[in-house]
Amino acid sequence: MTDGAVERGPAGASSGPAPSGGPALRLTVVVGEQDVWHHRPLYAEIVHRARAAGLAGASVFRGVEGFGATSLIHTHRLLSLSEELPVAVIVVDAEERVRAFLPHVAELLADRGLVTLEPCERITFRGRADDAAGGEDAHG
C-alpha cells in the first residue's frame, strides 16, 4: 500500500504479530464446589499448586447443573437445596508439564473427583498486555 493506509484483515481488524502455538495437553479436573483440602476449597488448592508447579495457567469454571458418581443431580435453581455444584479446573500446557503435575492432582483427589486429559493445540496471542509489561502504557 503506497497511500499510507493501514492494512486491515477480516472485519477491519489491524494485522498484528502472528500468534504462537503448538501441541499441548488439556487437563480438566471436575470436583464439587464444597470439596475442601485442609479448610481451603479444593479447586483453589489445585490452582495454587498449578501455579507453584510453573504451569502456564489454570482457570476454574463453576457449573450450573450436573451429577456424578452418586447420580444425584446438583443444580443452582432457586428451589433446589443443593449447593454442591460441579466445578471444573482447566489447565493447558505442554504435555510433559501437565503429566508431571498429575501426582499433585492425585494426592488432592483421593476418593473424589474426575480427571480428563485431551490433546489440544495451544495458540497464544501476544498484544497489549505484553506492551504494558515492557513499560509502555497499555491504554495509549
Side-chain angles (χ1 to χ4, degrees), residues 2-132:
T2 59
D3 63 359
V6 175
E7 186 174 342
R8 302 256 178 211
S14 63
S15 59
S20 63
L25 192 64
R26 179 177 51 234
L27 165 71
T28 303
V29 182
V30 181
V31 295
E33 180 177 35
Q34 300 298 316
D35 291 341
V36 295
W37 175 265
H38 297 270
H39 308 290
R40 175 187 231 174
L42 181 57
Y43 60 85
E45 183 66 21
I46 295 168
V47 168
H48 286 261
R49 287 192 182 199
R51 184 170 187 254
L55 293 171
S59 297
V60 178
F61 298 93
R62 183 175 184 232
V64 295
E65 187 166 279
F67 72 92
T70 65
S71 295
L72 179 64
I73 293 181
H74 303 283
T75 182
H76 78 291
R77 287 186 230 144
L78 188 56
L79 297 177
S80 171
L81 299 177
S82 174
E83 294 182 6
E84 181 63 4
L85 295 172
V87 176
V89 181
I90 299 176
V91 176
V92 176
D93 206 327
E95 180 173 358
E96 61 274 3
R97 295 173 61 79
V98 171
R99 290 196 183 277
F101 183 63
L102 283 175
H104 297 279
V105 173
E107 175 190 355
L108 295 172
L109 293 185
D111 61 345
R112 61 184 180 264
L114 170 72
V115 175
T116 63
L117 294 170
E118 300 91 20
C120 63
E121 183 175 356
R122 177 186 52 84
I123 301 174
T124 304
F125 294 89
R126 304 283 185 209
R128 295 178 68 84
D130 289 338
D131 293 342

